[in-house]
Amino acid sequence: MPHWTVHLKGAPKGEDKPAAVAVRHNIYAFGGSTFAGDQIPVNVFNTVTLRWTALPPVSDRKGQRPQCVPSWRAGHTAVLIEDTVYVCGGFSDRGNICKSKPYAFNVRTHHWSKPWVSGTVPMPRSYGVACSLGRVMYLHGGYTLGGGFSLGVVRSRVYHGVYDEYVYTCANDLHKLDTRTMVWSAIVPTGGQPPPPSAYHSANVIGTKMFVFGGEGVAAEEEEWSFHNYVRVFDTETLRWLNHSSTRLRPQAQRLYHSAFTWNGELYVFGSKRRKKPRHLWKFNTETFSWMEVRCKGKGPSDNWMCCCMVGDRVVLFGGYQGFDPVHDDLYVLDLSPSLKTLCKLTAIQRGLEEPGLPHNIRWELEAMSGKVHTRPTEKKKAAEKNEAAKKSTLSRRRYRPPATE
């Protein structure tokens, strides 16, 4: 049975969740800060040491942001292909929708670049979804500016965004970027019923199929603003949207502002804008096309719109924003297949067992699993720790110290 294990403070905060990717045991989060400077912030979470690291901003000789570095944005997408993260779209602090031409971030060198692209470049958009299959990135839907659309777009009712001077519309177009040639292509489906124009939805790849779930938008046949809670499947080999019979049991709450991930060939959905059972986890079987509710032990997050990444058998969720509630900086870990060591640590916490004889790294993990640790200490706390270590040099070596950040 899945267990909620780690609960930390100190994740990147922001009214819009960051776009994040998992690179081995690290998670790179792009954005997530509210109007933080003129360039997009990059934070790295080490799932081994359970520490956040903020990468320094990039500047040229004049102290300004280089053109190869993306400006501050929210509602963007990030996809990892080999050692490169491609960041696309979003909107700026002034409400302008950003172009879909990608920025490239090398996870080994931490260097930004802006590759030259050709082909049918998608219109600028925000709150679309992106996923990758091999060396190809797929981009679907999102908010676009009113006006003309590229090939394959279905226009929906006009939506007035946060900034009244801008008028947005939803789209359900599908594009792909071949990162070997850096050529964009508009995909015209050969059959099936595509999803309605949507934003705030999710897209995940299982095998050669892309699973699109949830979102908000306007269904073409209804012309009314609605929330979607069904799955559409796109076959990347036949270029068809696959139609399946609907199922009665659906995650009624998980429609938009949710987190979605795949594990063992199945699709999982957690969280929702709706407060009806927001902590419940749902599993979608891709063969029977049916939903099942998954019970988890432990206390998990209750907020929606969390950033979600898979690291092995663990799901890392952080951030959170629910309507007009405060923006949160929590981080939770859901272990889908907990080991015996993890179960023993959970038992030690529940029974309040003594910890003085345990190694400092085990004590650190127990503190993190109990929700008593802040992942990014302030400078004042660091100074206090140094002063205490200087006074008691002998005892301080035996006391608990968090491991160093990589």
Side-chain angles (χ1 to χ4, degrees), residues 5-297:
T5 55
V6 175
H7 176 205
L8 301 172
K9 294 284 187 177
K13 296 178 64 175
E15 295 185 0
D16 291 274
K17 69 175 185 179
V21 297
V23 183
R24 292 174 288 277
H25 64 279
N26 290 324
I27 293 177
Y28 286 77
F30 300 86
S33 300
T34 304
F35 307 142
D38 65 338
Q39 62 181 265
I40 190 170
V42 182
N43 296 278
V44 184
F45 180 71
N46 189 315
T47 59
V48 177
T49 62
L50 302 179
R51 285 287 191 178
W52 282 101
T53 301
L55 299 186
V58 182
S59 60
D60 56 16
R61 296 180 179 178
K62 298 181 180 180
Q64 299 179 349
R65 174 181 61 88
Q67 294 184 353
C68 63
V69 179
S71 60
W72 183 96
R73 61 190 60 199
H76 52 286
T77 61
V79 170
L80 174 68
I81 297 179
E82 294 186 341
D83 292 331
T84 304
V85 180
Y86 295 93
V87 178
C88 292
F91 68 89
S92 66
D93 56 348
R94 297 182 179 180
N96 298 320
I97 295 183
C98 302
K99 296 181 180 179
S100 297
K101 294 183 178 180
Y103 290 86
F105 178 83
N106 190 295
V107 295
R108 291 186 179 274
T109 63
H110 290 178
H111 288 169
W112 284 100
S113 63
K114 192 173 183 180
W116 184 86
V117 296
S118 61
T120 308
V121 181
M123 290 186 62
R125 68 192 59 220
S126 61
Y127 299 115
V129 291
C131 55
S132 63
L133 178 59
R135 297 289 301 275
V136 178
M137 180 181 72
Y138 292 88
L139 180 65
H140 178 268
Y143 289 132
T144 62
L145 291 175
F149 290 88
S150 56
L151 188 62
V153 176
V154 178
R155 182 169 179 170
S156 71
R157 190 179 69 175
V158 173
Y159 169 77
H160 296 273
V162 177
Y163 302 91
D164 294 335
E165 62 268 26
Y166 298 99
V167 179
Y168 304 132
T169 58
C170 264
N172 70 343
D173 57 341
L174 180 61
H175 286 73
K176 70 175 182 179
L177 173 66
D178 191 333
T179 59
R180 292 167 295 188
T181 60
M182 298 308 296
V183 176
W184 278 104
S185 302
I187 300 177
V188 180
T190 59
Q193 182 181 1
S198 303
Y200 300 107
H201 49 314
S202 62
N204 292 270
V205 170
I206 301 178
T208 59
K209 298 179 176 62
M210 181 176 67
F211 293 79
V212 179
F213 173 76
E216 69 172 356
V218 178
E221 65 275 7
E222 298 176 358
E223 289 299 330
E224 293 182 0
W225 202 259
S226 60
F227 305 108
H228 316 311
N229 68 332
Y230 43 78
V231 176
R232 290 283 192 267
V233 184
F234 181 75
D235 192 326
T236 60
E237 294 181 336
T238 63
L239 303 183
R240 292 179 58 89
W241 288 99
L242 306 180
N243 298 327
H244 295 269
S245 58
S246 60
T247 176
R248 292 184 179 180
L249 180 62
R250 293 181 183 177
Q252 296 296 327
Q254 280 79 1
R255 300 181 178 184
L256 75 159
Y257 299 161
H258 60 275
S259 301
F261 59 93
T262 61
W263 186 65
N264 286 347
E266 294 179 310
L267 176 67
Y268 289 79
V269 175
F270 178 84
S272 162
K273 182 178 181 180
R274 308 287 177 164
R275 291 187 180 274
K276 182 181 178 181
K277 299 180 180 180
R279 295 185 181 181
H280 286 194
L281 178 69
W282 288 80
K283 178 175 67 174
F284 180 78
N285 189 300
T286 58
E287 295 182 358
T288 62
F289 218 73
S290 59
W291 288 96
M292 184 180 71
E293 188 175 349
V294 180
R295 297 291 181 177
C296 304
K297 286 190 176 182

